[in-house]
């Protein structure tokens, strides 16, 4: 169930609307289901509608008029709450709606149960799936009702109602979501032919600029140069930036002035102090070691950084985990800038959906995600050209990171964040399908000779026996065989690469184990092959005899070290 609460000045206007059956097409049978005393006049159940309506308004406004004579009535003395059931909920009876209305006015402080001075209110049902609660906010002692945080209290009560009445459970948030566009903004977007509101468009613009900026100064500089956007920077007397507000060129109010939005009105994490905290905790993109000509590949660097996100989310440091989720969201914001045109719509939708998953009540410790942010910024100079393998490899890791994010939020009961990340996962899976097709096909066309393919198959059977048949029958096996053969040509040991790739993460839940291994091999093979000395040391470590407990402590073990043989399936 969803509640919507507002205030107004006219009791007459609200009652006229609630019982209207001419202009409002969904008002099929308006009538009272409950009231403050159970005896309020019901215009929907009388032959003299006008008289009953006037009597109802007079009764509701009785205390308002008394308070006005004393100069104590609030200007907006009308309290209006609509409560709507989900489309798939059963049709509730009038008595059930009456119970829900009483619980709402009690929870919000309008008319607490057992309080003789509670406000006067009525609950009107004019459609099967919702009711309207109309109240005047003057109590019997002529004080204004204390109804702060009424929406939050009503929402909590409705969550309990959903459980008791076995209704659809609404996904509820933690009040960290970005502010939704108002109805006025939505209607204006429709009139002007825009697909999104100004608020949403500017939010996307600012998030994208944050994703590519490496410092607060660069953020202001890049945002200033965005075409079609007006920017006004507020400064302290010292000249330091205090904040900013932004407007869309051509979007004006009735006076012809630009409609400005401060960063905090776009989203809580887009205020200038919040942006400065994130950008101050950004590591400069790596350009390679001093004295060397080798420059790290930006896609491999970003993929390696994103690959560490699931590990960080599995640790006990929630503040660091929240920082990595926020930084990963910046990576999704930046991807449409460097991806091919055909894949950009899916990436934009993924970034827009995942934006909700980047915020929670847990305060992010942004300096813990310096490396990830630095790797993301390096993508600015590395568009996904060539065969597109870099983008496909990154998206393969991104899917794992989003799944880890879903699990992390679910364990903390962040329902809205879970739903947002699940929606982002759908778009990322579609984007990966588009991005991976061409590079996998290119690898398959370079398939090595049959003898080499068979040798690589033996490596598969020896290294990952539990998944070998699944990998060897996968359509992407030809691509994996090519990746292994090319890695061997560059000086790597295919068996060692496969072992390292298999040890990185389980393949049990992989959508395609062969594709996953292909991208892991592709990334591992990008590193320089181990030297002869390193290979010799590795060989010695694998052939050295293992010490028993007796050799380590000088004492004979209390129990045999030889494992007992167990029958039954292997776990």
């Amino acid at each position: 169930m969803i509640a919507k609460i507002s205030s107004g000045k006219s009791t007459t206007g609200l009652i006229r609307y609630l019982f209207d059956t001419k202009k409002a097409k969904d008002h099929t049978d308006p009538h009272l289901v409950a009231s403050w005393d159970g005896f309020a006049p019901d215009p929907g159940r009388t032959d003299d509608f006008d008289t009953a309506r006037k009597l109802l308004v007079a009764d509701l406004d009785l205390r308002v008029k008394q308070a006005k004579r004393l100069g104590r009535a609030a200007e907006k003395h009308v309290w209006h709450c609509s409560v709507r059931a989900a489309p798939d909920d059963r049709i509730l009876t009038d008595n059930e709606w009456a119970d829900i209305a009483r619980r709402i006015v009690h929870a919000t402080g309008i008319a607490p149960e057992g309080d003789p001075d509670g406000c006067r209110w009525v609950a009107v049902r004019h459609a099967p799936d919702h009711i309207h609660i109309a109240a005047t906010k003057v109590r019997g002692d002529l004080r204004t009702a204390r109804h702060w945080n009424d929406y939050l209290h009503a929402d909590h009560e409705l969550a309990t109602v959903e459980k008791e009445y076995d209704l659809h459970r609404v996904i509820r948030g933690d009040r960290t979501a970005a502010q939704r566009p108002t109805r006025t903004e939505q209607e204006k977007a429709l009139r002007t032919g825009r697909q999104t509101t100004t608020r949403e468009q500017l939010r996307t613009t600012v998030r994208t600029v944050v994703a590519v900026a490496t410092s607060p100064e660069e953020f202001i500089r890049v945002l200033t140069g965005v075409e079609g956007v007006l920017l006004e920077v507020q400064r302290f007397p010292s000249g330091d930036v205090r904040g900013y507000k932004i407007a869309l060129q051509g979007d004006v109010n009735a006076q012809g002035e630009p409609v400005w939005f401060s960063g905090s009105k776009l989203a809580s994490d887009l205020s200038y102090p919040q942006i400065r905290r994130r950008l101050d905790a950004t590591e400069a993109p790596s350009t390679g070691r001093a004295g060397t000509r080798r420059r790290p590949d930006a896609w491999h660097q970003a993929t390696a950084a994103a690959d560490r996100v699931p590990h960080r989310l599995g640790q006990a440091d929630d503040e660091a985990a929240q920082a990595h989720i926020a930084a990963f969201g910046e990576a999704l914001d930046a991807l449409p800038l460097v991806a091919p045109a055909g894949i950009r719509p899916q990436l934009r939708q993924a970034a827009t959906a995942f934006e909700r998953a980047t915020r929670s009540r847990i305060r992010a410790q942004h300096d813990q995600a310096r490396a990830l942010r630095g790797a993301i910024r390096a993508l600015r100079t590395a568009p996904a050209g060539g065969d597109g393998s870099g983008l496909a490899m990154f998206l393969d890791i991104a899917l794992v990171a989003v799944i880890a994010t879903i699990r992390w939020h679910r364990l903390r009961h962040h329902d809205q964040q879970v739903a947002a990340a699940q929606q982002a996962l759908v778009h990322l899976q579609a984007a990966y399908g588009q991005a991976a097709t061409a590079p996998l096909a290119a690898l398959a066309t370079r398939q090595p000779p049959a003898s080499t393919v068979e040798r690589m198959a033996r490596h598969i059977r020896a290294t990952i026996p539990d998944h070998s048949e699944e990998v060897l029958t996968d359509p992407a096996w030809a691509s994996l065989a090519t990746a292994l053969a090319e890695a061997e040509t560059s000086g790597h040991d295919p068996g060692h690469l496969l072992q390292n790739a298999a040890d990185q993460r389980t393949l049990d839940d992989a959508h395609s184990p062969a594709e996953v291994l292909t991208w892991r091999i592709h990334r591992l093979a990008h590193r320089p092959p181990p030297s002869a000395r390193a290979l010799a040391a590795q060989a010695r470590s694998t052939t050295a005899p293992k010490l028993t407990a007796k050799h380590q402590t000088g004492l004979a073990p209390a129990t045999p070290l030889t494992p007992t043989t167990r029958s039954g399936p292997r776990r």
Side-chain angles (χ1 to χ4, degrees):
M1 285 189 160
I2 298 176
K4 184 178 181 181
I5 297 176
S6 60
S7 297
K9 301 178 181 179
S10 173
T11 308
T12 302
L14 177 58
I15 296 300
R16 182 186 297 117
Y17 163 75
L18 295 181
F19 285 92
D20 174 58
T21 57
K22 297 179 180 178
K23 295 182 180 180
K25 301 301 181 183
D26 63 336
H27 295 190
T28 55
D29 181 24
H31 60 280
L32 295 185
V33 295
S35 64
W36 74 95
D37 61 357
F39 299 102
D42 186 357
R45 292 292 184 266
T46 182
D47 295 333
D48 193 348
F49 173 80
D50 289 336
T51 300
R53 179 177 58 82
K54 292 177 181 178
L55 288 173
L56 178 59
V57 171
D59 288 350
L60 288 171
D61 275 346
L62 176 63
R63 295 170 177 173
V64 176
K65 294 179 179 178
Q66 293 173 339
K68 281 184 177 180
R69 285 198 296 268
L70 300 175
R72 297 167 59 178
E75 182 181 4
K76 291 187 175 182
H77 61 270
V78 178
W79 187 84
H80 176 204
C81 174
S82 61
V83 182
R84 185 177 296 272
D88 54 347
D89 281 338
R90 63 181 176 84
I91 301 300
L92 299 176
T93 66
D94 280 358
N95 289 335
E96 289 173 324
W97 277 120
D99 175 59
I100 293 170
R102 294 187 187 97
R103 295 171 67 162
I104 292 298
V105 295
H106 168 73
T108 55
I110 291 296
E113 186 177 357
D115 183 0
D117 288 330
C119 299
R120 294 192 168 193
W121 60 274
V122 293
V124 180
R125 184 182 189 181
H126 54 210
D129 62 345
H130 69 278
I131 61 170
H132 292 261
I133 304 173
T136 47
K137 296 189 288 187
V138 180
R139 293 168 43 83
D141 52 13
L142 301 187
R143 292 184 300 159
T144 302
R146 298 170 62 90
H147 61 97
W148 293 289
N149 286 329
D150 49 7
Y151 172 78
L152 185 61
H153 294 310
D155 195 52
H156 286 170
E157 186 63 31
L158 289 178
T160 305
V161 168
E162 291 167 356
K163 295 179 184 178
E164 294 181 5
Y165 281 81
D166 193 23
L167 303 175
H168 173 78
R169 305 285 181 85
V170 174
I171 297 177
R172 289 177 165 83
D174 52 7
R175 307 186 78 181
T176 61
Q179 184 175 337
R180 295 180 180 179
T182 64
R183 183 174 179 178
T184 301
E185 293 170 355
Q186 294 172 341
E187 292 176 349
K188 187 176 184 179
L190 289 175
R191 289 197 308 270
T192 55
R194 292 197 303 266
Q195 294 183 347
T196 58
T197 64
T198 300
R199 184 190 300 270
E200 294 169 314
Q201 185 174 343
L202 292 177
R203 183 186 302 140
T204 300
T205 299
V206 174
R207 287 186 62 86
T208 304
V209 174
V210 171
V212 299
T214 58
S215 66
E217 294 76 20
E218 186 178 14
F219 165 74
I220 295 296
R221 185 168 63 253
V222 174
L223 193 58
T224 302
V226 175
E227 185 178 357
V229 170
L230 305 177
L231 176 68
E232 185 173 304
V233 179
Q234 293 98 24
R235 297 183 182 273
F236 291 108
S238 61
D240 295 333
V241 177
R242 183 185 66 185
Y244 72 97
K245 59 181 182 179
I246 190 172
L248 197 64
Q249 195 170 13
D251 182 46
V252 297
N253 56 22
Q255 291 73 36
E257 301 170 341
V259 179
W260 295 98
F261 293 88
S262 63
S264 59
K265 291 297 183 182
L266 299 177
S268 60
D269 59 343
L270 294 183
S271 66
Y272 184 76
Q274 292 290 339
I275 291 174
R276 186 179 59 219
R277 286 183 61 242
R278 293 157 66 183
L279 295 182
D280 285 343
T282 301
E283 187 176 280
S286 175
T287 56
R289 296 181 180 178
T292 64
R293 295 183 179 180
R294 183 179 180 83
R295 184 176 182 178
D297 182 273
W299 285 103
H300 285 79
Q301 188 179 357
T303 302
D307 194 24
R308 290 190 287 270
V309 171
H311 172 69
R312 297 306 297 262
L313 299 189
Q315 296 178 338
D317 190 345
D318 280 2
E319 289 78 10
Q322 182 65 62
H324 278 79
I325 294 175
F328 179 73
E330 294 174 16
L332 298 185
D333 290 329
L335 281 184
L337 298 177
V338 295
I343 199 175
R344 287 174 190 168
Q346 289 289 0
L347 291 177
R348 288 196 187 98
Q349 290 176 333
T352 300
F354 194 79
E355 180 258 350
R356 178 66 190 98
T358 61
R359 290 187 303 275
S360 73
R361 285 289 180 185
I362 298 173
R363 182 180 178 88
Q365 192 173 349
H366 292 296
D367 59 343
Q368 295 293 320
R370 285 180 180 273
L372 178 56
R373 281 197 168 86
I376 294 167
R377 269 58 176 185
L379 294 179
R380 298 186 304 174
T381 58
D387 61 355
S389 60
L391 175 61
M393 177 178 60
F394 180 84
L395 289 177
D396 177 70
I397 291 297
L399 292 174
V400 179
V402 173
I403 292 172
T405 301
I406 293 172
R407 292 171 179 168
W408 189 83
H409 279 306
R410 182 176 287 128
L411 286 173
R412 288 149 186 83
H413 306 288
H414 300 164
D415 295 337
Q416 282 191 353
Q417 288 86 338
V418 169
Q422 288 174 333
Q423 185 180 359
L425 182 64
V426 173
H427 294 299
L428 276 182
Q429 287 171 334
Y432 169 79
Q434 292 179 254
T437 301
L440 288 174
L443 281 171
T445 58
R446 302 198 301 269
Q447 187 173 349
S451 59
T452 303
V453 173
E454 179 56 32
R455 186 157 49 83
M456 298 306 163
R458 289 197 293 271
H459 283 301
I460 293 290
R461 294 189 182 96
T463 307
I464 47 173
D466 292 344
H467 298 278
S468 59
E469 293 307 315
E470 186 179 4
V471 170
L472 295 177
T473 57
D474 194 302
W477 161 236
S479 304
L480 175 57
T482 303
L484 286 169
E486 292 180 350
E488 185 180 45
T489 302
S490 64
H492 290 276
D493 184 323
H496 288 161
L497 280 184
L498 269 173
Q499 190 62 60
N500 290 338
D503 290 344
Q504 286 183 356
R505 195 171 294 109
T506 178
L507 297 172
D508 293 339
D509 55 354
H511 60 284
S512 168
E515 288 186 26
V516 172
L517 288 174
T518 299
W519 301 125
R520 292 182 188 176
I521 295 297
H522 184 74
R523 183 161 61 86
L524 291 171
H526 182 76
R527 303 170 182 173
S531 63
R533 178 179 297 180
L535 289 175
Q538 188 175 12
R540 287 195 300 271
S541 67
T542 56
T543 58
K546 295 183 179 180
L547 296 178
T548 64
K550 180 178 179 179
H551 293 141
Q552 294 172 1
T553 65
L555 299 174
T559 56
L561 295 180
T562 304
T564 58
T565 303
R566 291 187 297 178
S567 61
R570 179 181 177 182
R571 293 186 64 182

